[in-house]
């Protein structure tokens, strides 16, 4: 990093409470936000509370990547990766701690989170969840301690969202009992693969399995995953493997994304991760799941941990950016103050409050919802896997769009200072950008949850084309729409205690808030189903689907936002400290009011909100901003971003 | 740039017209969009149509900066900078061409635009507009040919938006007939100054002038601008000057932003740019403008060209990003096609159309409005200076927020490919980010236009604190609100021919469209004035201001959007080619419908739009997307981004 002049910032404001925050209250709030993995978060915070972990923009790509790998080694030595793997495979089997650990790395450097997530979450997760004992014994200890550096080679140049159509082939050769891994076209190239650029020695390769038993014509068995060595110990491509480097990206300098082309690479039969599909020595294919389609989605379903980690980390990145911007907003003054003594602290302007405080409130909501998602993942209930998978899809999109927006607004709220890399925000900005894309394009994921809700999670609907799906919906019984997840007791109680007519009940009533969000979701679902059922023939089914796509996306958004609100409310109810709880209810109000404000056109148009109430919502956001302004510092301190990770010239005092 | 593997992209779609575009139509549209400076644009396009001008992310900061300076030298040799300066100063005096030339550089590299804009627009503009003959003779030729490398040192660490309060002092010493330039505090440091990091030899320094005539106590005369040498020919800081480098930023690697501290630096008296204020040898101060405040705003007013260039270039950057994303959207396919022959072209999805097409429509609107703004600037009517300045403030915010959003959405619309620097979008993303901040923070600028409209452009209102301004508004006659710029004839005619009751008239009627935008602006202005007049005392004036700040910002936005629409309509009326005109009306409809959709809550809440119409607006956006989809390629081709600046692996065929 090149020499910088001494940091200079405006004088700190007089020590009013509003600038300093309430440390005791922040501690209580932090425990509430941290949720079940409070201890894990605190341990990781202590581990990463070092300014030298912050990304240094002066590094070359090689240096940045090497630094991240070094940091991963120090984490591995401290047992960081063990929770992600079952105890009998060499881990400690605490999935919630694994996710939360990865999430918390986001406070330091998103490259560290992503490269760790690739190694331990995606690559490790593929071996753990798609492999069997022979793979667990052979690979898991090395994955945990980094002796085995891997990558997760699913996406191809030609197929990202539609991974069922990857073109890479894995053809079984009974003569040698090997699979032949091959890229038959240019678009079959594995692309954007984290780790493939430089460090990975082994790849978990998703490919179309082609095999047949004795006397059978070899045929496609759908996508399966194979462990394929790609580089020797010196980092040289193995024969038949051609890796290349994706080079510079919008951010994530520490992650070596790359490409892989396979030219008839032979691997031993045992390298098939064979939990959900196996090939006998003679080439006979077998699977515990008969349908190719169902098998593929079952395999994908076991891999959602990566998506959960991405959602979680986007939340963390948003919280860090908002911490930086809010602290700057409490230091920075501009334009003459009312008392004509000095200038106005910029966070005292309503316009500035309206930029940051609703995002802080939404960050709280998302943090609470994340805890629920992580807990559901950790529970691992197979009965609930399908709904969890759909909810994770919607939530990943919701959380990463929020994270990206929050970072962007935080950058802008810090003006010129926010554009200097020394103040971290532009680096976080560049890093977070792809979170809306990887682990599932947000638009595709939002559509997915919409489709699941409309299809009532029917198994035989998955993998259908848009046209097929519309025909499926059209044939469903008219009253089967969303098979809702069971309403949790606390929410049911609140609903029971509230007025069914939302207009008659104050907007700060929790039941009314939940009802508004639920009514929106139900209305959208019902009307979307009606539109889709208008398709009368195969011929117009794609047209019908396509003309309703914006509606379908809105269903996904409304569902996710309702879940987020319910998670937030359920979590706040549990907070015992009264001052903390009261403050959190204000935060909840601001989340609700600003969510309603953002979608006010819809609420008015469909008469879920009256004109008078709409005006009250707009005023309410302003009033809540004023109410929460004195607590701004407390609210961000509760995020618990380690102090050394916030040291920036714009915040440090000269 | 490190070696990249051979580019691979999905096969191009079958040659339907919708993917190839209509070259003849695009040419007509391009001429319309290019407006009065079509010829200048075409010349600059030809000049920059070279792939080697594209930013290379592998360069060090030093290399990037040196490359940009080299490119500027080749531009200078071709006479690129001459239009920005009066003929009798050594230029050719064509302000419109100057602005348009700078704007067009944005198609190549935003660093090139910014560094050129600093040298020729900001620094050169200060000398040109604030200086007198002695400065023009001495500096302008060297500014044009780059013998004199300068920077524009206005912003300080402590003051960006509130530049009237900069702390740097320029104290006249009659004994030596020198000014003493000094940074009295740490926060007086000049900061983020383009060129100050490395290349600039001279700075146009804005400082508080302190002087007094014989027998007078020296006193502050407000902010004035001084030419201050900062580095010798070798680039070493001159005595008393301490420059430092802002280092890495979110983007704009080719711009050497830096800081300057002055320790009692002495400059000759003649270095005061003395058009609006002068100091006699004995220290006597004189100015053609009596009020310090009015003088300062007059000086600032002459410098709006920089702001116009920033707005213009944000438009260009948005157009380039949308060109890249639209072309990718016409190549990329994903998920099974209706006919089950291959996969669906992603731009055929409504969701994808809704991402890109409304932004393309808004880019058209902004381009037409930019031509009007540039023309008004070039006209240079002193009577209209005040309204132009206010309109430019609002438009800069509008255009740069749009540019930033467009680049961001374009990035996301290209998925993983959009995140690779080789495909340019992440570089444009990093570069454009600060456009919402520099040349005036967007929020402050949007507020400024709101304040001007409410204050009826009264001279003695400028420079008032928030409190003072509210008191001023409260004392104004109740019927004086916005002193509107004269309605242009074509708009008046359209209005005269349209139904006053917007509900009775179709939404595709131009008069109805204009009325909806005008009614929104008027309603917001009137109600904002009412709120502000509720302040009853000095004590609550700041509170009243602050609680209405969101309202005030909305006034600014509504005004600007109305101006943009009127510019667009006035321009389309002039298009002679019928096919082009009809297509442009569709584009105008999409701009209007999506602007209404974005603010539907407001329109419904204030009953400017009925529930039925609101639903029609939402459907209308979808229908217009479907109508314009076949013309997508034509519409972006009309932007005229030089082909060599679009060569990216994701678009090039393997």
């Amino acid at each position: 990093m090149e020499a910088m002049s001494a940091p200079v910032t405006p004088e700190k404001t007089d020590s009013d409470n509003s600038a300093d925050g309430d440390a005791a209250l922040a501690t209580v709030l932090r425990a509430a936000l941290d949720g079940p993995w409070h201890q894990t978060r605190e341990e990781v915070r202590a581990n990463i509370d070092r300014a030298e972990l912050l990304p240094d923009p002066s590094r070359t790509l090689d240096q940045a990547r090497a630094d991240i790998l070094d940091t991963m080694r120090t984490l591995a030595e401290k047992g960081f990766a063990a929770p992600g793997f079952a105890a009998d495979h060499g881990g400690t089997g605490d999935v919630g701690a694994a996710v939360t650990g990865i999430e918390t790395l986001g406070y330091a450097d998103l490259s560290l989170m992503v490269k760790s997530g690739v190694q331990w979450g995606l690559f490790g997760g593929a071996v753990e969840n798609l492999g069997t004992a022979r793979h667990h014994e052979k690979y898991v200890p090395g994955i945990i301690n980094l002796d085995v550096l891997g990558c997760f080679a699913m996406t191809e140049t030609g197929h990202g969202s539609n991974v069922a159509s990857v073109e890479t082939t894995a053809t079984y050769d009974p003569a040698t009992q090997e699979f032949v891994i091959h890229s038959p076209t240019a678009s079959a190239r594995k692309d954007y693969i984290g780790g493939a650029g430089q460090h990975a020695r082994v790849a978990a390769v998703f490919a179309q399995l082609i095999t047949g038993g004795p006397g059978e014509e070899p045929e496609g068995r759908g996508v399966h995953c194979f462990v394929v060595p790609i580089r020797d110990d010196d980092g040289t491509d193995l024969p038949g493997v051609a890796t290349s480097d994706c080079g510079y990206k919008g951010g994530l300098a520490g992650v070596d994304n790359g490409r892989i082309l396979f030219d008839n690479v032979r691997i031993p039969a045992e390298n098939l991760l064979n939990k959900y599909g196996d090939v006998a020595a003679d080439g006979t294919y077998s699977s515990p799941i008969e349908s190719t389609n169902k098998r593929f989605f079952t395999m994908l379903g076991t891999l959602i941990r990566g998506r959960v980690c991405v959602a979680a980390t986007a939340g963390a990145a948003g919280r860090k950016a908002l911490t930086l911007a809010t602290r700057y907003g409490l230091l920075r003054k501009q334009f003459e103050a009312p008392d004509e003594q000095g200038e106005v602290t910029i966070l005292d302007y309503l316009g500035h409050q309206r930029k940051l405080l609703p995002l802080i409130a939404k960050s709280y909501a998302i943090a609470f919802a994340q805890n629920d998602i992580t807990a559901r993942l950790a529970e691992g209930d197979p009965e609930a896997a399908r709904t969890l998978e759909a909810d994770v899809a919607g939530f990943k999109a919701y959380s990463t769009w929020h994270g990206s927006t929050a970072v962007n607004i935080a950058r802008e709220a810090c003006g010129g200072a926010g554009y200097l890399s020394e103040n971290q925000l532009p680096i976080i900005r560049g890093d977070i950008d792809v979170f809306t894309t990887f682990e599932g394009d947000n638009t595709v994921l939002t559509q997915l949850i919409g489709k699941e809700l409309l299809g009532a999670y029917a198994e035989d609907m998955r993998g259908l084309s848009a046209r097929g799906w519309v025909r499926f919906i059209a044939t469903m019984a008219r009253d089967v729409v969303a098979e809702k997840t069971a309403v949790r007791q606390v929410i049911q109680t609140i609903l029971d205690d509230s007025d069914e007519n939302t207009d008659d009940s104050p907007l700060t009533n929790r039941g009314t808030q939940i009802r508004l969000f639920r009514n929106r979701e139900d209305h959208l679902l019902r009307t979307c189903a009606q539109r889709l059922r208008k398709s009368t023939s195969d011929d117009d089914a794609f047209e019908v689907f396509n003309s309703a796509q914006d509606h379908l996306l809105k269903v996904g958004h409304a569902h996710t936002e309702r879940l987020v609100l319910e998670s937030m409310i359920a979590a706040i109810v549990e907070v015992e400290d009264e001052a903390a709880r009261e403050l959190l209810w204000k935060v909840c109000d601001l989340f609700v009011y600003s969510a309603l404000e953002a979608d006010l056109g819809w609420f008015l148009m469909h008469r879920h909100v009256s004109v008078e109430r709409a005006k009250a919502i707009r005023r309410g956001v302003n009033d809540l901003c004023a109410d929460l302004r004195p607590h701004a510092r407390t609210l961000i301190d509760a995020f618990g971003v380690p102090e050394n990770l916030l040291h920036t010239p714009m915040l440090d005092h000269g």
Side-chain angles (χ1 to χ4, degrees), chain A:
Chain A
M1 186 96 189
E2 69 190 63
M4 229 49 103
S5 62
V8 179
T9 36
E11 293 284 297
K12 189 169 178 181
T13 181
D14 300 327
S15 65
D16 51 26
N17 289 328
S18 65
D20 282 342
D22 177 331
L25 186 53
T27 303
V28 179
L29 293 171
R30 182 197 296 205
L33 278 170
D34 280 359
W37 290 277
H38 180 50
Q39 198 48 43
T40 300
R41 290 184 204 269
E42 290 291 55
E43 283 165 21
V44 179
R45 282 181 180 119
N47 257 327
I48 62 175
D49 190 6
R50 295 181 283 135
E52 65 268 27
L53 291 184
L54 294 170
D56 171 354
S58 72
R59 292 175 306 188
T60 63
L61 287 187
D62 280 355
Q63 287 167 341
R65 294 162 174 186
D67 285 354
I68 294 292
L69 189 56
D70 280 349
T71 304
M72 284 170 65
R73 292 198 193 280
T74 66
L75 289 173
E77 280 162 18
K78 291 180 181 166
F80 180 85
F85 300 87
D88 53 352
H89 303 165
T92 60
D94 184 348
V95 171
V99 168
T100 307
I102 295 272
E103 169 187 342
T104 310
L105 296 183
Y107 283 156
D109 183 341
L110 293 174
S111 287
L112 177 61
M113 174 271 160
V114 171
K115 204 163 158 68
S116 298
V118 165
Q119 168 71 15
W120 292 313
L122 293 178
F123 172 67
V127 173
E128 176 84 0
N129 295 304
L130 303 179
T132 51
R134 68 180 192 235
H135 307 109
H136 301 142
E137 281 161 28
K138 182 168 179 188
Y139 297 113
V140 171
I143 292 172
I144 291 176
N145 70 17
L146 299 181
D147 282 349
V148 178
L149 290 175
C151 65
F152 183 81
M154 182 183 269
T155 297
E156 296 179 353
T157 303
H159 290 92
S161 294
N162 184 14
V163 282
S165 298
V166 293
E167 296 173 81
T168 303
T169 51
T171 309
Y172 184 66
D173 179 355
T176 60
Q177 301 191 11
E178 291 172 318
F179 290 101
V180 182
I181 309 294
H182 188 61
S183 314
T185 64
S187 59
R189 182 180 66 172
K190 294 295 176 184
D191 209 345
Y192 318 111
I193 310 300
Q198 198 166 349
H199 290 146
R201 302 294 185 250
V202 179
V205 175
F206 289 78
Q208 303 287 350
L209 169 60
I210 300 166
T211 191
E216 283 178 357
E217 197 64 28
E219 61 175 288
R221 308 292 178 164
V223 177
H224 289 65
C225 186
F226 303 82
V227 177
V228 185
I230 57 171
R231 288 190 177 93
D232 65 18
D233 290 345
D234 298 332
T236 307
D237 286 352
L238 290 171
V241 175
T243 67
S244 54
D245 200 309
C246 289
Y248 292 86
K249 306 185 296 288
L252 297 178
V255 184
D256 51 319
N257 294 81
R259 297 153 178 155
I260 319 174
L261 275 166
F262 299 100
D263 180 6
N264 292 297
V265 173
R266 289 182 165 262
I267 56 168
E270 68 197 36
N271 285 20
L272 167 64
L273 295 173
N274 60 336
K275 182 165 176 186
Y276 294 105
D278 208 352
V279 175
D282 64 5
T284 305
Y285 181 76
S286 65
S287 169
I289 303 169
E290 199 171 339
S291 143
T292 303
N293 203 32
K294 184 173 176 189
R295 186 186 317 124
F296 179 64
F297 284 104
T298 302
M299 289 167 62
L300 280 190
T302 67
L303 302 175
I304 60 164
R305 197 197 297 177
R307 201 168 271 172
V308 174
C309 288
V310 164
T313 309
R319 294 194 295 275
K320 180 175 177 183
L322 291 168
T323 300
L324 290 165
T326 303
R327 283 171 70 158
Y328 186 71
L330 289 165
L331 281 176
R332 179 77 176 175
K333 298 173 169 208
Q334 204 76 178
F335 292 112
E336 200 185 323
D339 55 5
E340 291 172 26
Q341 301 288 313
E343 295 179 271
V344 179
T345 302
I346 59 174
L347 198 61
D348 285 336
Y349 289 110
L350 173 64
H352 211 73
Q353 293 164 10
R354 266 190 165 264
K355 281 185 190 169
L356 297 179
L357 295 176
L359 290 171
I360 290 174
K362 192 167 178 179
S363 289
Y364 268 75
I366 285 174
F368 288 125
Q370 180 67 53
N371 287 338
D372 277 347
I373 292 277
T374 304
R376 286 166 67 188
L377 179 74
E379 240 164 68
D381 174 5
E383 293 298 305
R386 181 74 179 270
T387 52
L388 174 61
E389 199 184 326
D391 286 346
V392 165
F395 182 69
K396 183 270 180 181
Y398 189 85
S399 177
T400 57
W401 268 326
H402 165 70
S404 190
T405 301
V407 175
N408 205 27
I409 303 269
R411 196 303 293 159
E412 197 172 316
C414 295
Y419 195 57
L420 301 189
S421 299
E422 63 179 31
N423 294 320
Q424 297 192 51
L425 286 163
I427 298 176
I428 304 174
R429 181 73 194 81
D431 290 344
I432 192 93
D433 205 12
V434 79
F435 278 59
T436 58
T437 295
F438 65 14
E439 285 290 326
D441 174 87
N442 276 7
T443 301
V444 174
L445 293 180
T446 304
Q447 179 173 298
L448 189 150
I449 170 75
K451 286 171 82 170
E452 288 281 6
L453 289 166
L454 279 154
Y457 302 97
E459 192 58 59
D460 47 356
M461 168 204 107
R462 300 178 105 174
L464 290 177
S465 71
R467 180 170 75 158
W469 176 75
V470 169
R471 298 307 295 150
F472 176 87
I473 298 296
T475 60
M476 280 175 66
R478 286 190 180 257
D479 53 346
V480 179
V481 184
E483 173 195 307
K484 285 260 180 63
T485 47
V487 182
R488 55 176 119 194
Q489 191 50 52
V490 55
I491 299 299
Q492 190 59 58
T493 306
I494 290 171
L495 284 171
D496 292 345
D497 288 350
S498 72
D499 200 321
E500 222 175 286
N501 185 340
T502 55
D503 264 350
D504 292 347
S505 167
L507 202 49
T508 49
N509 180 292
R510 297 304 143 203
T512 302
Q513 294 178 348
I514 298 168
R515 281 182 192 279
L516 280 168
F517 281 42
R518 287 194 159 237
N519 292 347
R520 174 177 57 168
E521 181 184 354
D522 292 346
H523 183 127
L524 283 163
L525 257 175
R526 201 176 60 247
T527 51
C528 194
Q530 285 162 3
R531 281 177 72 173
L532 293 167
R533 289 192 184 115
K534 284 184 187 150
S535 97
T536 51
S537 69
D538 260 23
D539 287 342
D540 72 349
F542 180 79
E543 258 330 293
V544 168
F545 162 81
N546 205 29
S547 70
Q549 198 190 11
D550 61 326
H551 200 148
L552 190 59
L553 290 169
K554 209 162 159 52
V555 168
H557 173 81
H559 171 78
T560 302
E561 199 154 63
R562 193 261 301 168
L563 283 187
V564 167
L565 174 63
E566 291 182 5
S567 285
M568 184 181 210
I569 289 174
I572 298 176
V573 166
E574 296 295 318
V575 173
E576 287 175 12
D577 181 282
E578 196 179 327
R581 202 173 57 243
E582 288 312 306
L583 183 55
L584 286 169
W585 285 133
K586 285 271 183 205
V587 174
C588 181
D589 285 341
L590 181 55
F591 169 63
V592 169
Y593 278 65
S594 39
L596 293 172
E597 189 180 45
D599 203 16
L600 213 44
W602 188 89
F603 280 102
L604 282 163
M605 197 160 38
H606 299 286
R607 305 185 200 276
H608 287 257
V609 146
S610 68
V611 165
E612 283 321 301
R613 175 154 277 183
K615 290 181 180 170
I617 288 168
R618 178 148 194 130
R619 282 194 305 271
V621 172
N622 289 358
D623 293 344
L624 287 162
C625 282
D627 288 352
L628 289 173
R629 159 66 187 87
H631 303 285
R633 179 64 193 254
T634 306
L635 289 173
I636 52 148
D637 283 352
F639 292 152
V641 182
E643 195 59 29
N644 284 302
L645 301 178
L646 295 170
H647 277 329
T648 48
M650 75 175 183
L651 295 184
D652 294 345
H653 293 258

